[in-house]
Coordinates of all heavy atoms in Angstrom, one line a residue:
R1 N 0.8 -1.2 0.0 CA 0.0 0.0 0.0 C 0.9 1.3 0.0 O 0.6 2.2 -0.7 CB -0.9 0.0 1.2 CG -2.1 -1.0 1.1 CD -3.2 -0.8 2.1 NE -2.8 -1.1 3.5 CZ -2.9 -2.2 4.0 NH1 -3.3 -3.3 3.3 NH2 -2.5 -2.5 5.3
L2 N 2.0 1.2 0.8 CA 2.9 2.4 0.8 C 3.4 2.5 -0.6 O 3.5 3.7 -1.2 CB 4.0 2.1 1.8 CG 5.1 3.2 2.0 CD1 5.7 2.9 3.4 CD2 6.1 3.2 0.9
A3 N 3.9 1.5 -1.3 CA 4.5 1.5 -2.6 C 3.5 2.0 -3.6 O 3.9 2.8 -4.5 CB 5.0 0.2 -3.0
L4 N 2.3 1.5 -3.6 CA 1.3 1.9 -4.6 C 0.9 3.4 -4.5 O 0.5 4.0 -5.5 CB 0.0 1.0 -4.5 CG 0.2 -0.4 -4.9 CD1 -0.9 -1.3 -4.4 CD2 0.4 -0.6 -6.4
A5 N 1.0 4.0 -3.3 CA 0.6 5.3 -3.1 C 1.7 6.3 -3.3 O 1.5 7.6 -3.5 CB 0.1 5.5 -1.6
A6 N 3.0 5.8 -3.4 CA 4.1 6.7 -3.5 C 4.3 7.3 -4.9 O 3.9 6.7 -5.9 CB 5.4 5.9 -3.1
K7 N 4.8 8.5 -4.9 CA 5.1 9.2 -6.2 C 6.6 8.8 -6.6 O 7.5 9.2 -5.9 CB 5.0 10.7 -6.1 CG 3.5 11.1 -5.8 CD 3.4 12.6 -5.7 CE 2.0 13.1 -5.5 NZ 1.8 14.5 -5.4
T8 N 6.7 8.1 -7.6 CA 8.0 7.6 -8.1 C 8.1 7.7 -9.6 O 7.2 8.2 -10.3 CB 8.3 6.1 -7.7 OG1 7.3 5.3 -8.4 CG2 8.1 5.9 -6.2
Q9 N 9.2 7.2 -10.1 CA 9.3 7.0 -11.6 C 8.1 6.1 -12.0 O 7.6 5.3 -11.2 CB 10.6 6.4 -12.0 CG 11.8 7.3 -11.9 CD 13.0 6.5 -12.4 OE1 13.3 5.4 -12.0 NE2 13.8 7.1 -13.3
T10 N 7.8 6.1 -13.3 CA 6.9 5.1 -13.8 C 7.7 3.8 -14.1 O 8.9 3.8 -14.2 CB 6.3 5.6 -15.1 OG1 7.3 5.7 -16.2 CG2 5.5 6.9 -14.9
E11 N 6.9 2.7 -14.3 CA 7.5 1.4 -14.7 C 8.3 1.6 -16.0 O 9.4 1.0 -16.1 CB 6.5 0.3 -14.8 CG 5.8 -0.1 -13.5 CD 4.8 -1.1 -13.8 OE1 5.2 -2.2 -14.2 OE2 3.6 -0.9 -13.5
A12 N 7.7 2.3 -16.9 CA 8.3 2.4 -18.2 C 9.7 3.2 -18.1 O 10.6 2.9 -18.8 CB 7.4 3.2 -19.2
E13 N 9.8 4.1 -17.2 CA 11.0 4.9 -17.0 C 12.1 4.1 -16.3 O 13.3 4.2 -16.5 CB 10.7 6.1 -16.1 CG 9.9 7.2 -16.9 CD 9.4 8.3 -16.0 OE1 9.3 8.1 -14.8 OE2 9.2 9.5 -16.6
R14 N 11.6 3.1 -15.4 CA 12.5 2.4 -14.6 C 13.1 1.1 -15.4 O 14.3 0.7 -15.2 CB 11.8 1.8 -13.3 CG 12.6 1.0 -12.4 CD 13.7 1.7 -11.7 NE 14.5 0.9 -10.7 CZ 15.7 1.1 -10.4 NH1 16.4 2.1 -10.9 NH2 16.2 0.3 -9.5
R15 N 12.3 0.5 -16.2 CA 12.7 -0.7 -16.9 C 13.9 -0.7 -17.7 O 14.7 -1.7 -17.7 CB 11.5 -1.2 -17.8 CG 11.6 -2.6 -18.2 CD 10.3 -3.1 -19.0 NE 10.2 -4.5 -19.0 CZ 10.9 -5.3 -19.9 NH1 11.6 -4.7 -20.8 NH2 10.7 -6.6 -19.9
P16 N 14.3 0.4 -18.4 CA 15.5 0.4 -19.2 C 16.8 0.2 -18.4 O 17.8 -0.3 -18.9 CB 15.5 1.8 -19.8 CG 14.1 2.2 -19.9 CD 13.5 1.6 -18.7
V17 N 16.8 0.5 -17.1 CA 17.9 0.3 -16.2 C 18.2 -1.2 -16.2 O 19.4 -1.6 -16.4 CB 17.7 0.8 -14.8 CG1 18.8 0.3 -13.8 CG2 17.4 2.3 -14.8
F18 N 17.2 -2.1 -16.1 CA 17.4 -3.5 -16.0 C 17.6 -4.1 -17.4 O 18.3 -5.2 -17.5 CB 16.2 -4.1 -15.3 CG 16.3 -3.7 -13.9 CD1 15.5 -2.6 -13.5 CD2 17.0 -4.3 -12.9 CE1 15.5 -2.1 -12.2 CE2 17.0 -3.9 -11.6 CZ 16.3 -2.8 -11.2
E19 N 17.0 -3.5 -18.4 CA 17.4 -4.0 -19.8 C 18.8 -3.8 -20.1 O 19.5 -4.6 -20.8 CB 16.5 -3.2 -20.8 CG 15.0 -3.6 -20.7 CD 14.2 -2.8 -21.7 OE1 14.7 -1.7 -22.1 OE2 13.0 -3.2 -21.9
A20 N 19.4 -2.7 -19.6 CA 20.8 -2.4 -19.8 C 21.7 -3.4 -19.0 O 22.7 -3.9 -19.5 CB 21.2 -1.0 -19.4
L21 N 21.2 -3.7 -17.8 CA 22.0 -4.6 -16.9 C 22.0 -6.1 -17.4 O 23.0 -6.8 -17.3 CB 21.4 -4.6 -15.5 CG 21.8 -3.4 -14.6 CD1 21.0 -3.4 -13.3 CD2 23.3 -3.3 -14.3
L22 N 20.8 -6.5 -17.8 CA 20.6 -7.9 -18.2 C 20.6 -8.2 -19.7 O 20.7 -9.3 -20.1 CB 19.3 -8.4 -17.5 CG 19.1 -8.2 -16.0 CD1 17.8 -8.7 -15.6 CD2 20.2 -9.0 -15.3
G23 N 20.3 -7.1 -20.4 CA 20.1 -7.4 -21.9 C 18.6 -7.5 -22.1 O 17.9 -8.3 -21.5
A24 N 18.1 -6.6 -23.0 CA 16.6 -6.5 -23.2 C 16.0 -7.8 -23.5 O 14.9 -8.1 -23.2 CB 16.3 -5.4 -24.2
G25 N 16.7 -8.6 -24.3 CA 16.1 -9.8 -24.8 C 16.6 -11.1 -24.1 O 16.2 -12.2 -24.5
R26 N 17.3 -10.9 -23.0 CA 17.8 -12.1 -22.3 C 16.7 -12.9 -21.6 O 15.8 -12.4 -20.9 CB 18.8 -11.7 -21.2 CG 19.3 -12.9 -20.4 CD 20.3 -12.5 -19.3 NE 21.6 -12.1 -19.9 CZ 22.7 -11.8 -19.1 NH1 22.6 -12.0 -17.8 NH2 23.8 -11.4 -19.7
G27 N 16.7 -14.2 -21.9 CA 15.7 -15.1 -21.4 C 16.3 -15.7 -20.1 O 17.4 -15.4 -19.6
W28 N 15.5 -16.6 -19.5 CA 15.9 -17.3 -18.3 C 17.0 -18.3 -18.6 O 17.0 -18.9 -19.7 CB 14.7 -18.1 -17.7 CG 13.7 -17.2 -17.1 CD1 12.6 -16.5 -17.7 CD2 13.6 -16.8 -15.7 NE1 11.9 -15.8 -16.9 CE2 12.5 -15.9 -15.6 CE3 14.4 -17.0 -14.6 CZ2 12.1 -15.3 -14.4 CZ3 14.0 -16.5 -13.4 CH2 12.9 -15.6 -13.3
P29 N 18.0 -18.4 -17.7 CA 19.1 -19.3 -17.9 C 18.7 -20.8 -17.7 O 17.6 -21.0 -17.2 CB 20.1 -18.9 -16.9 CG 19.3 -18.3 -15.8 CD 18.1 -17.7 -16.5
E30 N 19.5 -21.7 -18.1 CA 19.3 -23.1 -17.8 C 19.4 -23.4 -16.3 O 18.7 -24.3 -15.8 CB 20.3 -24.0 -18.6 CG 20.0 -24.0 -20.1 CD 18.6 -24.5 -20.4 OE1 18.2 -25.5 -19.8 OE2 17.9 -23.8 -21.2
T31 N 20.2 -22.7 -15.6 CA 20.3 -22.9 -14.1 C 19.0 -22.6 -13.5 O 18.2 -21.8 -14.0 CB 21.3 -21.8 -13.6 OG1 22.6 -22.0 -14.2 CG2 21.4 -21.9 -12.1
D32 N 18.7 -23.4 -12.4 CA 17.5 -23.2 -11.6 C 17.6 -21.9 -10.9 O 18.2 -21.8 -9.8 CB 17.3 -24.4 -10.7 CG 16.0 -24.3 -9.9 OD1 15.2 -23.3 -10.1 OD2 15.7 -25.2 -9.1
L33 N 17.0 -20.8 -11.5 CA 17.1 -19.5 -10.9 C 15.8 -19.1 -10.4 O 14.8 -19.1 -11.1 CB 17.6 -18.5 -12.0 CG 17.5 -17.0 -11.6 CD1 18.5 -16.7 -10.4 CD2 17.9 -16.1 -12.8
R34 N 15.7 -18.7 -9.2 CA 14.4 -18.3 -8.5 C 14.5 -16.8 -8.0 O 15.5 -16.5 -7.2 CB 14.1 -19.2 -7.4 CG 14.0 -20.7 -7.9 CD 13.7 -21.7 -6.8 NE 13.9 -23.0 -7.2 CZ 13.8 -24.1 -6.4 NH1 13.3 -24.0 -5.2 NH2 14.1 -25.3 -6.9
I35 N 13.6 -16.0 -8.4 CA 13.6 -14.6 -8.1 C 12.4 -14.3 -7.3 O 11.3 -14.6 -7.7 CB 13.6 -13.7 -9.4 CG1 14.8 -14.1 -10.3 CG2 13.6 -12.2 -9.0 CD1 16.2 -13.7 -9.7
T36 N 12.6 -13.6 -6.2 CA 11.5 -13.4 -5.2 C 10.9 -12.0 -5.4 O 11.6 -11.0 -5.6 CB 11.9 -13.6 -3.8 OG1 12.8 -12.6 -3.4 CG2 12.5 -15.0 -3.6
A37 N 9.6 -11.9 -5.2 CA 8.9 -10.6 -5.2 C 7.6 -10.8 -4.3 O 7.2 -11.9 -4.0 CB 8.5 -10.1 -6.6
I38 N 7.0 -9.6 -3.9 CA 5.9 -9.7 -3.1 C 4.7 -9.0 -3.8 O 4.8 -7.9 -4.4 CB 6.1 -8.9 -1.7 CG1 7.4 -9.4 -1.1 CG2 4.9 -8.9 -0.8 CD1 7.3 -10.9 -0.7
N39 N 3.5 -9.6 -3.8 CA 2.4 -9.1 -4.4 C 1.9 -7.8 -3.6 O 1.7 -7.9 -2.4 CB 1.2 -10.1 -4.4 CG 0.0 -9.7 -5.1 OD1 -0.6 -8.6 -4.9 ND2 -0.4 -10.4 -6.2
A40 N 1.9 -6.7 -4.2 CA 1.6 -5.4 -3.6 C 0.2 -5.3 -3.0 O 0.0 -4.5 -2.1 CB 1.9 -4.3 -4.5
N41 N -0.7 -6.1 -3.5 CA -2.1 -6.1 -3.0 C -2.4 -7.1 -1.9 O -3.0 -6.8 -0.9 CB -3.1 -6.2 -4.2 CG -3.1 -5.1 -5.1 OD1 -3.4 -3.9 -4.7 ND2 -2.7 -5.3 -6.4
T42 N -1.9 -8.3 -2.1 CA -2.2 -9.4 -1.2 C -1.1 -9.6 -0.1 O -1.3 -10.2 0.9 CB -2.4 -10.7 -1.9 OG1 -1.1 -11.2 -2.5 CG2 -3.4 -10.6 -3.0
G43 N 0.1 -9.1 -0.4 CA 1.3 -9.3 0.5 C 1.9 -10.7 0.3 O 2.8 -11.0 1.1

């Protein structure tokens, strides 16, 4: 709720940072890679 109400960059403005870090077209590796995140509405 804090995050959804905050005034920040837009998603579109933020995404290029990670496209540059990872490569815009980079897919998932063969390694079992697990990335965690939290649902902003349900927690």
Side-chain angles (χ1 to χ4, degrees):
R1 287 195 289 273
L2 184 158
L4 290 167
K7 294 182 179 180
T8 66
Q9 285 182 311
T10 66
E11 292 181 61
E13 290 170 333
R14 180 67 175 154
R15 198 175 195 276
V17 173
F18 294 93
E19 291 178 341
L21 283 172
L22 303 177
R26 178 180 288 189
W28 288 85
E30 289 303 312
T31 299
D32 185 356
L33 172 63
R34 303 177 194 180
I35 303 296
T36 66
I38 306 300
N39 188 301
N41 291 297
T42 68

